[in-house]
């Protein structure tokens, strides 16, 4: 009976991200680096809580992978984690790390976001494994997330290859039961050994390494045939489903009796196992989220198979979609009620709202970037005109200028967050100066990486462990780049902000405006928070000017003509506004827009 | 909800502490020997948007997602969100709903009205609707952030574990200094649903 007690003591409810962190810890990871990005962020936050590993926020994903690769070269087990689009940033070192191979196990986590819950595209990063000729493990729940992370390190060392671990939102941000294990002693001794043929990717060496890469793929294909994560669960042979990742869970839920080939390795595929499975079932279907990667491969083997002709190409799957797609049956469900939307919004007191309210008065085209401030593209602010990827705001603003020439002067502005600027905005700004532009770049410096839950970065002067670090001076950096006009404003000071914006937008030279005010989610903000405001109802004339702010603390209370008269208003007044004191942050932006001066500091 | 397993659907507004409430419930079911899976969405959705958590328990759970029409219980932290997600409830399921109204952007900007008659609309779907004032209960404890534990307490009447299980999970999951107020919030939530109101709900 003690065994039961023991296992219960070691049983935890972990998210996929917690499980990856735990798996890396148990694998003895020594160096881990990441840039925050939903749904991958918590992996490093959890890893930082374990003793014995160096865990860090890197300025971007490319640096994170290079740090992890360097640690691997020195013999340590290392991990880099990122969201799917982060792999695009890191692709350069990843593709050549596939050639160099590793010394200590090297694992690269890619957390994909089907359905785009918090992303700008829906790319399927399994393509990267094929393109970079690297194996990719794909867990389907938290227990596998931990087991596959450990396995990824040992596979990396065994086959001399960096290993991808791919999750999706429903693995990273789903929780499940996980049994904790012990920490493994390192398999590889520490120390960098000079080996130019492996580590120096000059063409002469890289050509030889490419031969080894192809040999390695052949060995990995053999491994895939017997890997226990690739398994056939024989059941009713009239239906056979090949699946991987969280889609496996949906398949088991929807078709508990079907035969299933569950692939734990997304790349390379076990061809003989696929043939065996296909030969053993009457009807063969691939159920995979996003692109038809397994399906295309199975078809290339000459095996007739159903797939994306039935299973949606877009968005997430779920058991209902899978059941309906395969059997055409689904129990009828009630139509969802038609109710007002609840879109995400900038927080009450958010400095971005203040900055964009001032910027809107300047009537300019705003090239945007990735962060909370992207929400300013939504009504009522509708400030942002473009959003592509991390760092794109500056390059696209400059490109517009070059295309439009003089017509763009005073008309185009780039906005970018502090963390995003460090991630990949700096080179864009260098380009503006170097190629003689006149762009105005607004750095929205709220002192954190807010969208992903307030992570530190080089500009905050704190590490992942919240220890003091050198604080990158953004203004000094911009000047060093060659921007002569760098000004810092407090966006909550509307008058000063608007004046500086108008002046700099029209300037015949590159300029940077740093809009500096802390994110309201930061604990340090609470200390400097000003008292909440309230509306003097007798003064409110229902003009809705404050509605243009889109502040969640300001609520419109509709009035009938009778209610309006009873409240001492004209019968034509359609309503009044009220400030929700629980939400109001005291930013004092609304008094600036209220001509009736109805917003006043609330009585304590 | 009877013993072999169940689906708990939590809905509310970003910032209401839904994730923490679902973690406490999940821990309690795991400790009681159930397999547990839970799914939620972070990031963009948390900036005041609609937030949901799917929590499933049973002898063996595959999918981390609850299908529409199969939730045994809907725990809604905000009234409008109860209506938005009521189609996830199975016929005859139980809805435990916070009476608090948080106007979404189209309402607070005056473009749309906050829907009236939500309680009646919910009752048209299931007779087992329990409307509770979790905000007042939390404010009485001087802790507006405890709305989540008040809701967990109110919902606990319809979940198969004894009270101790939730309190133990809460104690395990929260920093020591927050345990007491949250246990009080949980008990306050329990008191909001009278035993007379409780009806068998697994039809």
């Amino acid at each position: 009976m003690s065994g039961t007690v023991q296992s219960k003591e070691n049983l935890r409810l972990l998210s996929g991200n917690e499980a990856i962190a735990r798996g890396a810890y148990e694998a003895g990871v020594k160096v881990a680096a990441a840039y925050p990005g939903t749904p991958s962020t918590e992996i490093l936050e959890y890893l930082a809580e374990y003793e014995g590993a160096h865990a860090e926020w890197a300025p971007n994903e490319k640096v994170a992978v290079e740090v992890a690769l360097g640690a691997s070269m020195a013999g340590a087990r290392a991990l880099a984690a990122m969201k799917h689009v982060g792999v695009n940033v890191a692709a350069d070192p990843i593709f050549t790390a596939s050639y160099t191979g590793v010394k200590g196990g090297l694992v690269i986590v890619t957390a994909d976001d089907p359905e785009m819950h918090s992303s700008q595209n829906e790319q399927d990063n399994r393509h990267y494994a094929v393109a970079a000729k690297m194996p990719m493990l794909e867990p389907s729940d938290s227990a596998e997330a931990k087991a596959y992370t450990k396995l990824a390190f040992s596979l990396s060392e065994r086959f001399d290859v960096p290993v991808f671990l791919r999750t999706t939102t429903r693995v990273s941000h789903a929780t499940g039961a996980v049994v904790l294990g012990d920490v493994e002693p390192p398999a590889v001794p520490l120390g960098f050994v000079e080996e130019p043929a492996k580590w120096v990717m000059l063409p002469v060496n890289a050509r030889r390494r490419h031969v080894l890469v192809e040999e390695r793929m052949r060995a990995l294909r053999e491994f895939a045939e017997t890997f226990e994560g690739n398994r056939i669960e024989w059941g009713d042979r009239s239906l056979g489903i090949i699946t991987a990742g969280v889609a496996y869970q949906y398949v088991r839920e929807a078709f508990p009796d079907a035969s299933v080939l569950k692939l734990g390795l997304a790349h390379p595929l076990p061809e003989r196992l696929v043939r065996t499975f296909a030969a053993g079932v009457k009807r063969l279907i691939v159920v995979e989220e996003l692109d038809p990667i397994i399906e295309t491969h199975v078809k290339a083997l000459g095996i007739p198979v159903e797939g994306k002709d039935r299973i949606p190409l877009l968005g997430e799957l779920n058991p209902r979609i899978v059941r309906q797609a395969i059997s055409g049956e689904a129990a009828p469900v009630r139509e969802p009620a038609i109710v007002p939307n609840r879109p995400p919004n900038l927080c009450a007191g958010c400095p971005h709202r203040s900055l964009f309210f001032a910027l809107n008065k300047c009537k300019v085209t705003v090239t945007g970037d990735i962060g909370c401030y992207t929400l300013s593209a939504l009504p009522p602010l509708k400030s942002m005109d473009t959003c592509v990827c991390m760092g794109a705001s500056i390059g696209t603003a400059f490109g517009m200028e070059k295309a439009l020439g003089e017509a763009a002067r005073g008309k185009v502005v780039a906005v970018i967050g502090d963390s995003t600027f460090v991630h990949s905005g700096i080179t864009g700004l260098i380009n503006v100066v170097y190629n003689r532009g006149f762009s105005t770049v607004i750095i929205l410096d709220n002192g954190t990486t807010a969208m992903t839950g307030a992570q530190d970065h080089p500009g905050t002067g704190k590490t992942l462990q919240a220890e003091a670090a050198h604080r990158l001076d953004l203004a000094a950096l911009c000047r060093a780049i060659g921007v002569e006009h760098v000004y810092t404003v407090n966006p909550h000071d509307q008058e000063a902000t608007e004046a500086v914006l108008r002046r700099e937008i029209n300037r015949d030279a590159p300029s940077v405006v740093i809009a500096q005010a802390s994110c309201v989610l930061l604990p340090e903000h609470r200390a400097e928070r000003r008292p909440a405001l309230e509306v003097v109802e007798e003064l409110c004339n229902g003009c809705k000017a404050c509605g243009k702010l889109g502040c969640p603390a300001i609520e419109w209370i509709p009035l009938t003509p009778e209610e309006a008269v009873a409240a001492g208003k004209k019968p034509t007044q359609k309503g009044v506004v009220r400030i929700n004191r629980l939400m109001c942050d005291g930013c004092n932006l609304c008094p600036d827009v209220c001509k009736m001066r109805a917003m006043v500091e609330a009585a304590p | 909800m009877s013993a072999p397993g169940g689906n708990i659907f939590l809905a509310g507004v970003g910032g209401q502490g839904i994730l923490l409430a679902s973690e406490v419930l999940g821990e309690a079911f795991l400790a009681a020997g159930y397999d547990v899976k839970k799914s939620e969405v972070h990031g963009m959705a948390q900036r005041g948007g609609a937030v949901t958590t799917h929590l499933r328990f049973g002898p063996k759970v595959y999918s981390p997602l609850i299908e529409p029409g199969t939730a045994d219980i809907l725990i809604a932290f905000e009234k409008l969100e109860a209506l938005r997600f009521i189609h996830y409830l199975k016929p005859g399921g139980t809805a435990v709903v916070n009476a608090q109204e948080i106007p979404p952007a189209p309402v607070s900007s005056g473009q749309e009205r906050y829907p009236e008659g939500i309680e009646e609309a919910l009752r048209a779907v299931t007779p087992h609707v329990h409307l509770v004032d979790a905000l007042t209960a939390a404010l009485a404890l001087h802790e507006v952030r405890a709305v989540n534990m008040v809701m967990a307490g109110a919902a606990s009447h319809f979940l198969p574990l004894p009270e101790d299980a939730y309190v133990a999970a809460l104690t395990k999951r929260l920093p020591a200094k927050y345990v007491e107020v949250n246990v009080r919030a949980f008990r306050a939530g329990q008191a909001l649903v009278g035993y007379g109101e409780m009806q068998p709900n697994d039809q």
Side-chain angles (χ1 to χ4, degrees), chain B residues 58-79:
Chain B
K60 169 74 187 163
V61 179
Y62 288 107
S63 168
L65 296 176
I66 296 171
E67 294 180 56
T70 67
D72 299 279
I73 177 164
L74 167 69
I75 309 176
F77 288 49
E78 200 273 349
K79 224 166 74 177

Side-chain angles (χ1 to χ4, degrees), chain A residues 178-232:
Chain A
V178 177
V179 180
L180 304 189
D182 296 327
V183 178
E184 291 171 8
V188 179
L190 277 183
F192 178 69
V193 181
E194 282 186 25
E195 204 181 339
K198 176 173 169 61
W199 298 125
V200 183
M201 284 303 95
L202 283 164
V204 60
N205 291 335
R207 280 184 206 110
R208 291 190 191 115
R209 290 300 299 184
H210 190 182
V211 176
L212 298 177
V213 166
E214 299 305 333
E215 281 174 12
R216 186 180 71 200
M217 281 313 298
R218 280 193 287 279
L220 281 162
R221 277 193 283 272
E222 275 310 306
F223 166 78
E225 300 290 352
T226 54
F227 167 48
E228 70 252 25
N230 292 334
R231 63 169 188 266
I232 296 175

Side-chain angles (χ1 to χ4, degrees), chain A residues 15 53 64 78 85 128 132 162 173 238 266 323 348 369 408 419 427 439 473 516 518-519 538 557 575 584 598:
Chain A
S15 70
V85 287
Y128 271 113
H173 287 167
S238 66
R323 190 181 300 112
D369 224 294
S419 186
T427 43
S439 307
D473 183 335
Q516 202 171 56
S518 69
C519 171
E538 298 83 66
I557 312 296
C584 177

Side-chain angles (χ1 to χ4, degrees), chain A residues 8 11-13 38 42 117-118 140-141 169-170 173-177 246 248-250 252-253 316-320 323 333-337 339-347 371-372 374-375 450-454 521 526 544 547 551-552 554-556 558-559 582-583, chain B residues 12-13 23 26-27 30-33 35-45 47-50 54 56 60-65 67-69 78 80-81 83-84 86-91 102-115 125 135 139 144 172:
Chain A
K8 203 167 179 181
L11 193 65
R12 295 282 188 285
L13 196 58
T38 311
E42 302 81 7
H117 296 286
S118 201
S140 69
D141 63 11
T169 299
R170 299 301 181 181
H173 287 167
T175 61
V246 74
Y248 164 78
Q249 308 292 352
Y250 304 149
R252 283 272 73 135
E253 192 82 30
E316 288 182 324
L317 302 178
N318 62 42
R320 189 179 166 81
R323 190 181 300 112
V333 289
R334 202 175 291 116
E335 283 294 309
V339 295
N341 256 337
R342 192 184 295 276
N345 192 1
L346 297 172
C347 303
C372 286
T374 316
L375 292 170
M451 183 83 261
T452 43
L521 299 176
R526 289 198 192 112
K544 285 189 175 180
C551 175
I554 300 176
E555 298 169 4
W556 174 254
L559 296 175
L582 292 176
M583 290 179 93
Chain B
V13 179
E23 276 174 36
E27 289 280 359
L30 187 76
D35 188 19
V36 175
K37 277 200 180 148
K38 184 165 81 66
S39 187
E40 63 221 13
V41 167
H42 303 196
M44 194 67 103
R47 295 286 166 272
H54 302 227
R56 309 187 67 212
K60 169 74 187 163
V61 179
Y62 288 107
S63 168
L65 296 176
E67 294 180 56
E78 200 273 349
L80 173 57
E81 297 313 307
L83 187 55
R84 190 188 310 282
I86 191 73
H87 63 287
Y88 272 87
L89 201 63
K90 72 178 186 186
I102 303 175
V107 172
S108 55
S109 66
Q111 293 164 306
E112 290 182 59
R113 293 265 182 133
Y114 194 94
V125 174
L135 180 62
L139 289 175
V144 65
K172 186 178 161 196

Side-chain angles (χ1 to χ4, degrees), chain B residues 47-171:
Chain B
R47 295 286 166 272
V51 172
T52 62
T53 293
H54 302 227
L55 175 61
R56 309 187 67 212
F57 64 94
K60 169 74 187 163
V61 179
Y62 288 107
S63 168
L65 296 176
I66 296 171
E67 294 180 56
T70 67
D72 299 279
I73 177 164
L74 167 69
I75 309 176
F77 288 49
E78 200 273 349
K79 224 166 74 177
L80 173 57
E81 297 313 307
L83 187 55
R84 190 188 310 282
F85 293 105
I86 191 73
H87 63 287
Y88 272 87
L89 201 63
K90 72 178 186 186
T94 300
V96 182
V97 180
N98 184 7
Q100 189 181 353
E101 295 183 2
I102 303 175
V107 172
S108 55
S109 66
Q111 293 164 306
E112 290 182 59
R113 293 265 182 133
Y114 194 94
E116 285 174 13
I118 289 180
E119 192 178 349
E120 293 70 32
L122 298 176
R123 286 196 193 285
V125 174
T126 174
H128 311 301
V129 176
H130 303 274
L131 209 63
V132 297
D133 187 352
L135 180 62
T136 301
L139 289 175
L141 296 168
H142 306 289
E143 184 48 273
V144 65
R145 287 175 292 178
V147 162
N148 56 356
M149 287 309 143
V150 175
M151 288 306 297
S156 66
H157 289 293
F158 311 101
L159 301 173
L161 300 184
E163 178 193 315
D164 296 357
Y166 306 109
V167 172
L170 207 158
T171 308

Side-chain angles (χ1 to χ4, degrees), chain A residues 19-33:
Chain A
I20 291 167
R22 178 72 201 187
Y25 167 70
E26 290 180 11
V29 71
K30 196 161 171 61
V31 175

Side-chain angles (χ1 to χ4, degrees), chain A residues 470-512:
Chain A
H470 176 77
R471 181 177 186 154
L472 176 65
D473 183 335
L474 294 179
L477 173 66
C478 295
R479 286 191 197 99
I481 282 171
V483 181
E484 286 175 25
H485 302 279
V486 181
Y487 302 96
T488 300
V489 297
N490 177 350
H492 294 311
D493 181 346
Q494 283 287 296
E495 207 175 317
T497 301
E498 196 186 326
V500 170
L501 287 177
R502 284 191 191 281
R503 188 185 71 211
E504 295 312 315
I505 287 168
N506 289 298
R507 191 181 287 282
D508 186 21
S511 57
V512 171

